């Protein structure tokens, strides 16, 4: 779901600004629900997955699914996604290829060469934000690039917390992450990323003339949610880190979308 929400947030802001009809909005929303980046990661990263307690039973790492079968499924999935964006304009199609193939394909290798793989993941996971406006033929307005930057910061937030689950195993396996890099400064740095996300939601909302529902539920509600999560999460507890990641993927994403959706629907 963390792959879907940036697209949904951006699409809903666009739908309100353009007064998009609900059937068209629904169609674009469904198209954005499909993603292939996680399979890229599990296929390329299978040898490291076998060395980490939490991931050693993933289907590809455990041998439940063969490498050949995974490759076939991956290419079929990518082909379907490319077909879905075949009829968009040239700029949108190029951006779609980069977001579907290039960025997710390179990400798994980043953990081997840099302590900032989450920064690359932030690009791969959040291309849906600008892609929503490109698919509607609206180009890339400044407000959505600001939102894109905010969703990148969100990925830095939740995936650093996610990586805290595996700190000990990652050191043994030679895997790099911001969870290891930030060390004792991790919570203050996470606060900075959360603040950047909230600021981007607010600025994008103002620039797109979003109303009270959005600013109350999405911006203020989202800020309070992140503050509570940061205060309560125990970054030395794998379970607490997983629970925080899960909450971001479902509850937080849905909360931000709910405010934008309410604003859009009531504006029609």
């Amino acid at each position: 779901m963390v792959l879907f929400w940036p697209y949904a947030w951006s699409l809903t802001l666009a739908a309100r600004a353009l007064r998009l009809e609900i059937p068209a909005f629904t169609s674009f929303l469904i198209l954005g629900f499909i993603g292939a980046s996680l399979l890229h990661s599990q296929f390329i990263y299978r040898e490291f997955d076998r060395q980490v307690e939490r991931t050693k039973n993933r289907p590809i790492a455990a041998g439940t699914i063969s490498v050949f079968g995974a490759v076939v499924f991956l290419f079929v999935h990518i082909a379907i996604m490319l077909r879905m964006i075949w009829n968009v304009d040239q700029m949108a199609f190029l951006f779609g290829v980069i977001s579907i193939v290039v960025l997710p394909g390179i990400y798994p290798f980043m953990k081997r060469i840099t302590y900032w793989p989450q920064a690359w993941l932030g690009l791969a996971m959040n291309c849906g934000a600008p892609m929503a406006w490109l698919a509607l033929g609206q180009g890339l307005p400044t407000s959505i690039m600001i939102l894109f930057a905010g969703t990148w910061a969100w990925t830095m937030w939740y995936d650093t917390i996610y990586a805290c689950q595996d700190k000990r195993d990652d050191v043994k396996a030679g895997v790099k992450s911001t969870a290891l890099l930030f060390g004792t400064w991790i919570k203050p740095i996470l606060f900075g990323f959360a603040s950047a996300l909230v600021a981007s939601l607010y600025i994008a909302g103002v620039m797109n003339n979003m109303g009270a529902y959005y600013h109350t539920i999405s911006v203020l509600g989202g800020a309070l949610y992140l503050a509570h999560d940061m205060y309560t999460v125990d970054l030395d507890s794998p379970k607490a880190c997983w629970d925080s990641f899960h909450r971001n993927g479902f509850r937080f994403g849905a909360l931000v979308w709910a405010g934008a959706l309410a604003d859009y629907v009531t504006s029609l």
Side-chain angles (χ1 to χ4, degrees):
M1 293 300 290
V2 291
L3 186 67
F4 170 69
W5 290 126
Y7 175 85
W9 301 345
S10 181
L11 177 67
T12 309
L13 263 65
R16 187 191 188 283
L18 301 173
R19 301 190 67 82
L20 196 65
E21 294 184 356
I22 289 180
F25 169 73
T26 303
S27 297
F28 278 104
L29 194 67
I30 293 172
L31 289 176
F33 197 71
I34 301 172
S37 62
L38 291 180
L39 185 59
H40 283 77
S41 180
Q42 289 190 33
F43 165 64
I44 297 170
Y45 212 57
R46 62 192 183 278
E47 295 300 328
F48 285 101
D49 281 346
R50 291 173 184 145
Q51 300 178 57
V52 177
E53 182 64 29
R54 183 181 57 82
T55 59
K56 67 182 183 181
N57 291 320
R58 283 178 173 173
I60 300 174
T64 306
I65 297 176
S66 69
V67 172
F68 177 76
V71 170
V72 170
F73 181 79
L74 174 62
F75 277 96
V76 169
H77 202 173
I78 290 175
I80 292 172
M81 294 177 70
L82 291 176
R83 180 63 185 90
M84 290 169 64
I85 63 170
W86 191 259
N87 294 323
V88 299
D89 63 44
Q90 184 177 6
M91 183 178 180
F93 182 78
L94 178 61
F95 200 91
V97 171
I98 293 172
S99 63
I100 292 169
V101 180
V102 180
L103 293 176
I106 294 175
Y107 163 68
F109 298 105
M110 302 304 287
K111 291 185 178 182
R112 309 182 187 195
I113 61 176
T114 178
Y115 279 99
W116 290 89
Q118 281 75 18
W120 188 271
L121 182 67
L123 298 176
M125 294 293 283
N126 298 297
C127 282
M131 188 64 193
W133 285 72
L134 287 172
L136 293 170
Q138 299 301 310
L140 293 174
T142 301
S143 63
I144 295 310
M145 296 312 293
I146 291 172
L147 180 64
F148 181 39
T151 58
W152 177 88
W154 182 45
T155 299
M156 292 297 298
W157 157 277
Y158 66 68
D159 205 66
T160 297
I161 295 174
Y162 182 84
C164 285
Q165 298 177 91
D166 305 322
K167 286 186 290 187
R168 293 180 181 177
D169 288 333
D170 284 351
V171 170
K172 296 177 184 177
V175 175
K176 298 177 175 65
S177 74
T178 49
L180 297 175
L181 177 67
F182 295 159
T184 58
W185 286 91
I186 190 166
K187 279 210 170 184
I189 294 173
L190 288 177
F191 175 80
F193 287 129
S195 299
L197 168 60
V198 173
S200 77
L201 289 172
Y202 173 73
I203 295 170
V206 170
M207 294 181 74
N208 283 284
N209 298 312
M210 299 298 285
Y213 286 114
Y214 174 83
H215 287 287
T216 302
I217 300 172
S218 302
V219 180
L220 179 58
L224 293 173
Y225 193 102
L226 291 175
H228 178 266
D229 199 44
M230 185 172 64
Y231 179 75
T232 57
V233 66
D234 179 0
L235 297 176
D236 293 321
S237 166
K239 182 180 184 305
C241 293
W242 168 253
D243 288 344
S244 174
F245 174 78
H246 189 269
R247 287 192 300 268
N248 270 266
F250 287 90
R251 297 178 188 176
F252 177 77
L255 175 67
V256 174
W257 186 54
L261 184 63
D263 221 328
Y264 160 57
V265 172
T266 56
S267 70
L268 295 175

